[in-house]
């Protein structure tokens, strides 16, 4: 009998660097001891404990690849492993980390000036401040370039107006990254702004009773004649490619993260079917169940292997835009399918909160939609393949 290679047939985890292995172990210990015990209750109550951000910060999980301002300077693989381990517990917690790292710390680090970095990065990396990223609007989801939020130059800054919708962390954020177009709505006029919570004219509204990603607070940002001093404009922003560079980072993390969700459900289903006796033998003794387990094992491991290949290409400074769209789409779609199959393998018990699978399943519906819905990534890949845009 082949020993233990069923879980990691390509030796992905075994071949990690010692530092990445240690990071993965620390995150796993933290998430199983701190996050997992409360996840069912917090999900039931739509409750997010904001003090967790300081715990994430202490562990180096926020902006982990940043080498300055308190960042851990870890590898992109470590960033992926963090997402993978955290999402084993709940996609909401991975969302908290993704938004802060890829959508708030990254744009400030990449498109901010030195004063902005010194002012905002230390408190975001340590988790003392919470950030959010306002791109989507009610009528500008898959096509953010049709946004209605605008800026106009005024004295030594800008006046902003508009509303953002479906924004992770908006109700609890201290720092808001907001994207806006000029008054004439010219697409190439896109600018990013750092706005602090107390700024006059800025308010938020929580989206109540979400049925998915319930632990993660989501809301609207209402921007009514908000004055932003020019020192809070992300001055190195270079058109939409800067906005999309934030999405690339988040999508990369999601591609690892969803496999964490799928893995958690796989192991629950494997254990359950090995122990559940039906027709006088374990469910796992049936060929149909073993085929399902083999399909799950295959998709998770192929997904992880592709994550590792993409991470290597990133390290070589290659253009990974296609790889990331492919991974985000594939890994979300496959994970959703895996988790749905796991739910089925538990029969009625699959519906019970304490088995976790239904929560993962409804969370993955969100993850399949945000950061570019499944079909949008198909259209991105189709356009890049054929040179014909269908948008
Ligand atoms: P398009 O013409 O494609 O591009 C405009 C400029 O951007 C460049 N570009 C990219 N650069 C870097 N990375 C990428 N992935 C890029 N994709 C495009 C492109 O080269 C061009 O540059 P330049 O210099 O020529 O101007 O623009 P488009 O308007 O046709 O884009 C269409 C589309 C569908 C690809 C885009 O709008 C899109 O990706 N839509 C999906 C929207 C989305 O993903 N929203 C995410 C919101 S944030 C979120 O959901 C957070 S969830 C957080 C959580 O809780 O985890
Ligand atoms: P739509 O764009 O209306 O799309 C609806 C459906 O139509 C999708 O299936 C899509 O694939 C399909 N579709 C759209 N256009 C086409 C086309 N041309 N051809 C074929 N099919 C098409 N946004 C942020 O900016 N910041 C955040 O922090 C953030 N957090 C979020 C958290 C949650 C819980 C959720 C649910 C969303 C969040 N979003 C955030 C918004 C998210 O990015 C958008 O929901 C997503 O981009 C899709 O936009 P939409 O919901 O308007 O759907």
């Amino acid at each position: 009998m082949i020993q233990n290679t069923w879980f990691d047939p390509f030796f992905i985890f075994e071949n990690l660097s010692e530092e990445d292995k240690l990071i993965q172990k620390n995150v796993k210990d933290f998430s199983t001891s701190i996050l997992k015990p409360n996840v069912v209750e917090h999900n039931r109550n739509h409750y997010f404990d904001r003090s967790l951000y300081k715990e994430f910060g202490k562990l180096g999980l926020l902006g982990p690849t940043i080498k300055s301002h308190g960042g851990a300077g870890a590898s992109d693989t470590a960033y992926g492993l963090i997402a993978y381990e955290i999402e084993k517990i709940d996609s909401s917690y991975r969302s908290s980390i993704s938004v802060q790292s890829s959508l708030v710390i990254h744009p400030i680090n990449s498109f901010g000036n030195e004063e902005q970095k010194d002012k905002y990065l230390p408190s975001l990396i340590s988790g003392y401040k919470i950030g959010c990223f306002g791109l989507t609007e009610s009528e500008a989801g898959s096509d953010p370039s049709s946004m209605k939020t605008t800026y106009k130059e005024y004295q030594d800054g800008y006046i902003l107006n508009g509303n953002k919708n479906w924004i992770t962390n908006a109700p609890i954020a201290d720092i808001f990254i907001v994207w806006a177009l000029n008054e004439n709505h010219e697409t190439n006029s896109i600018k990013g702004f750092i706005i602090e919570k107390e700024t006059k004219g800025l308010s938020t509204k929580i989206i109540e009773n979400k049925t998915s990603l319930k632990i993660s607070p989501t809301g609207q940002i209402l921007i009514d004649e908000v004055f932003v001093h020019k020192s809070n404009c992300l001055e190195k922003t270079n058109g939409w490619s800067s906005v999309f560079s934030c999405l690339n980072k988040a999508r990369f993390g999601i591609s690892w993260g969803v496999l964490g969700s799928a893995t958690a459900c796989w192991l629950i289903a494997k254990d359950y079917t090995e122990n559940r006796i039906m027709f006088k033998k374990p469910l796992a003794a049936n060929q149909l169940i073993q085929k399902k387990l083999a399909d799950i094992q295959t998709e998770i491991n192929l997904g992880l292997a592709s994550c590792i290949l993409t991470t290597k290409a990133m390290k070589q400074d290659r253009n990974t835009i296609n790889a990331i769209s492919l991974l985000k789409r594939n890994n979300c779609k496959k994970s959703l399918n895996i988790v749905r199959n796991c739910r089925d393998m538990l029969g009625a018990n699959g519906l019970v909160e304490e088995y976790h699978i239904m929560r993962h399943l409804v969370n993955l519906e969100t993850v399949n939609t945000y950061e570019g819905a499944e079909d949008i990534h198909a259209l991105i890949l189709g356009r890049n393949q054929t040179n014909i845009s269908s948008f």
Side-chain angles (χ1 to χ4, degrees):
M1 185 68 181
I2 304 160
Q3 297 296 316
N4 291 334
T5 58
W6 62 266
F7 182 73
D8 185 16
F10 303 130
F11 306 97
I12 288 169
F13 296 107
E14 205 171 293
N15 284 328
L16 294 172
S17 71
E18 289 311 310
E19 186 179 314
D20 290 344
K21 276 185 192 163
L22 185 64
I23 292 172
Q24 183 180 17
K25 183 186 175 306
N26 289 343
V27 182
K28 191 174 184 171
D29 290 348
F30 166 79
S31 52
T32 43
S33 63
I34 306 292
L35 300 179
K36 195 170 179 195
N38 298 315
V39 69
V40 169
E41 193 193 331
H42 289 185
N43 183 66
R44 197 182 297 147
N45 299 326
H46 296 256
Y47 175 71
F48 181 77
D49 174 3
R50 62 176 291 144
S51 73
L52 279 175
Y53 265 100
K54 289 185 187 158
E55 302 292 322
F56 295 152
K58 264 189 225 153
L59 269 176
L61 309 189
L62 304 174
T65 55
I66 306 268
K67 293 192 174 78
S68 63
H69 299 90
S75 67
D76 287 321
T77 312
Y79 177 72
L81 291 165
I82 291 168
Y84 172 79
E85 287 302 332
I86 297 281
E87 199 150 354
K88 278 185 186 170
I89 310 300
D90 197 279
S91 303
S92 293
Y93 294 125
R94 197 268 310 133
S95 244
S96 315
I97 284 172
S98 295
V99 168
Q100 186 97 342
S101 301
S102 300
L103 301 181
V104 181
I105 292 172
H106 165 72
I108 295 176
N109 191 49
S110 298
F111 314 121
N113 58 34
E114 290 311 311
E115 292 75 42
Q116 291 166 342
K117 290 186 204 179
D118 293 345
K119 183 170 178 190
Y120 293 110
L121 289 184
S123 56
L124 287 164
I125 288 172
S126 61
Y128 275 71
K129 290 272 166 73
I130 299 176
C132 72
F133 177 89
L135 178 65
T136 303
E137 299 178 3
S138 299
E139 291 165 63
S142 297
D143 176 19
S145 68
S146 59
M147 68 172 64
K148 295 200 171 65
T149 300
T150 57
Y151 62 83
K152 66 175 178 216
E153 287 190 31
Y154 177 75
Q155 293 178 352
D156 51 355
Y158 302 88
I159 299 276
L160 270 67
N161 276 295
N163 294 324
K164 298 291 175 180
N165 202 2
W166 287 103
I167 307 303
T168 300
N169 278 351
I172 60 165
D174 306 294
I175 313 276
F176 296 67
I177 303 292
V178 170
W179 300 96
L181 299 178
N182 68 10
E183 281 175 287
N184 300 324
H185 300 270
E186 284 161 337
T187 313
N188 60 6
S189 65
I190 185 82
K191 278 188 191 296
F193 299 89
I194 309 170
I195 312 181
E196 296 182 24
K197 185 191 175 73
E198 299 73 23
T199 306
K200 190 163 169 260
L202 184 95
S203 59
T204 63
K205 203 168 162 210
I206 194 164
I207 297 173
E208 307 268 10
N209 300 326
K210 265 193 307 93
T211 51
S212 167
L213 218 72
K214 286 166 62 178
I215 295 174
S216 168
T218 316
Q220 296 170 349
I221 310 174
L222 312 175
I223 304 157
D224 181 12
E225 293 285 310
V226 170
F227 175 73
V228 184
H229 191 267
K230 63 179 183 216
S231 62
N232 270 25
C233 178
L234 290 168
E235 59 187 40
K236 292 189 206 153
T237 299
N238 181 21
W240 281 91
S241 60
S242 300
V243 183
F244 291 137
S245 84
C246 305
L247 304 188
N248 290 339
K249 294 243 171 227
R251 290 166 178 174
F252 170 74
I254 287 171
S255 304
W256 284 82
V258 289
L259 297 175
S261 236
T263 299
C265 296
W266 172 27
L267 298 182
I268 292 166
K270 178 179 171 302
D271 182 66
Y272 187 90
T273 54
E274 284 168 353
N275 290 294
R276 170 88 168 160
I277 307 294
M278 199 51 56
F279 296 101
K280 302 186 180 59
K281 60 182 184 187
L283 283 177
N286 293 292
Q287 290 179 358
L288 273 176
I289 297 286
Q290 291 198 10
K291 180 184 179 297
K292 281 182 182 159
L293 291 170
D295 286 343
I296 293 172
Q297 173 193 38
T298 303
E299 294 303 347
I300 289 178
N301 280 290
L302 292 179
L304 281 169
S306 314
C307 285
I308 289 284
L309 283 177
T310 304
T311 314
K312 274 194 184 150
M314 283 163 66
K315 198 171 178 192
Q316 295 164 352
D317 223 10
R318 306 265 186 169
N319 179 336
T320 50
I321 291 177
N322 283 301
I324 289 173
S325 263
L326 190 154
L327 274 189
K328 197 279 176 183
R329 174 168 182 263
N330 180 73
N331 293 4
C332 287
K333 181 165 80 161
K334 299 283 173 62
S335 296
L336 198 48
N337 196 35
I338 287 169
V339 172
R340 206 173 273 147
N341 268 318
C342 291
R343 212 291 307 145
D344 173 67
M345 285 152 82
L346 267 72
N349 280 331
L351 304 169
V352 174
E353 278 181 326
E354 279 69 18
Y355 280 103
H356 303 288
I357 297 181
M358 270 306 280
R359 181 170 43 77
H360 280 292
L361 179 53
V362 290
N363 283 343
L364 288 173
E365 290 290 348
T366 285
V367 186
N368 203 39
T369 293
Y370 68 26
E371 285 292 354
E374 183 184 325
D375 287 343
I376 295 301
H377 284 290
L379 301 181
I380 292 173
L381 291 167
R383 181 179 66 176
N384 296 351
Q385 197 178 135
T386 61
N387 247 335
I388 306 169
S389 174
S390 69
F391 295 115

